[in-house]
Amino acid sequence: MIEEILPPGVRSAEAFDDLAPAPLFPEEAALMAGRRRRRRAQFATARACARRALAELGLAPAPLLPGTGGAPQWPEGVVGSITHCDGYRAAVAARAADVAALGIDAEPAGPLPRGVLGLIASTTERAALDRLAAERPEVCWDRLLFSAKEAVYKAWFPATERWLGFAEAEVRLTPAGTFTATLDPSAPPPRGATLRFAGRWLVRGDLVVTSAVGCVVPPGRGCGCPSPGPVSVCGLSPGGAPGPGTAVRDRGPATASPAHLTDPEPPSASAPPPAPPAPLRPAGTPPDSPPAPA
């Protein structure tokens, strides 16, 4: 499933349960010592998926431990991402020479818990969700927006080691299964950091899955990602136009103090109203962060 929304050069593996054998390296097993059995199995399956994706790049199995901020440490010259939620685990990997930044996210295909949308979406984004819901009411657009922002964050953090709040990423979703994101970090980003991302989304059964890739787009020029055709790896056109257009930045009051909901414990659609939402963590908390690495 995940491969349907990935650009060329990205390898993937996925699982819908934890039944297949998934041995851990000693370092990984030590990291999971004392965790609940369900959490250990989830972690092991996700790591097995990551090793399968790396094997498709010709890389030997190796431990994948959390690094700075808790994000997984991928082999030299590789970018990747891991996601897991109830009933789904997946990992993707690519050569850094082919893809500058890469992130994926999976969520249950149900509405966000009450009160969460106001923390993650700007007024511009909420207005866009209303229009999209009128066009395709069968899609949980609020959950999809959340997932897209998580995928973007997972691509952003390993490359920059900088936290990013929900209000610092403006996402524009399209009903055609794509999205773009423009970042406006509150602190100056590292030199050469990717501030524009493009992605794709898929809703299938009870799952929402998103992928995001990024690259540097010089003013007046096209994307720098290698591509044999008219569209770059990240989905930006040679003219630098990010698909349907770049959203306008909006720092409305609803996004003044967002928090980052991370992959390890996604909210349940049937969860009670949060106050504040229980799954939320401090703004920009990296995915895979202790005490619950991906």
Side-chain angles (χ1 to χ4, degrees), residues 19-178:
L19 300 180
L24 293 173
F25 280 83
E27 303 95 316
E28 295 170 331
L31 184 67
M32 286 288 102
R35 305 277 184 173
R36 292 174 299 170
R37 180 178 178 181
R38 177 176 176 272
R39 182 69 188 95
R40 293 197 307 270
Q42 184 185 62
F43 177 92
T45 301
R47 285 308 190 270
C49 288
R51 283 187 266 276
R52 283 161 48 199
L54 290 170
E56 292 192 19
L57 293 177
L59 299 175
L64 289 172
L65 301 174
T68 303
Q73 298 181 90
W74 296 89
E76 183 79 20
V78 172
V79 294
S81 184
I82 293 174
T83 188
H84 48 75
C85 67
D86 286 345
Y88 189 72
R89 297 87 171 87
V92 295
R95 298 285 182 182
D98 296 329
V99 180
L102 176 63
I104 60 170
D105 186 67
E107 301 287 335
L112 288 173
R114 182 162 54 89
V116 173
L117 182 61
L119 294 173
I120 71 164
S122 67
T123 54
T124 299
E125 289 170 328
R126 293 197 298 275
L129 294 188
D130 290 340
R131 293 191 295 271
L132 290 165
E135 183 174 351
R136 292 191 59 183
E138 76 279 9
V139 177
C140 290
W141 291 102
D142 58 346
R143 180 75 71 169
L144 185 54
L145 176 68
F146 169 79
S147 183
K149 291 200 175 192
E150 284 291 290
V152 167
Y153 182 75
K154 289 181 178 183
W156 158 267
F157 185 82
T160 62
E161 297 185 357
R162 299 285 185 88
W163 290 8
L164 190 75
F166 281 112
E168 297 172 284
E170 191 78 13
V171 169
R172 178 169 179 171
L173 299 163
T174 79
T178 64

Side-chain angles (χ1 to χ4, degrees), residues 188-261:
R191 185 179 180 84
T194 299
L195 296 177
R196 184 178 295 180
F197 292 79
R200 298 177 64 191
W201 60 267
L202 177 68
V203 177
R204 181 162 297 165
D206 58 356
L207 291 171
V208 169
V209 184
T210 55
S211 70
V213 291
C215 66
V216 176
V217 184
R221 296 178 54 192
C223 162
C225 288
S227 174
V231 178
S232 67
V233 163
C234 72
L236 298 175
S237 72
T246 302
V248 177
R249 184 77 177 117
D250 173 17
R251 293 184 184 272
T255 59
S257 57
H260 230 287
L261 181 60

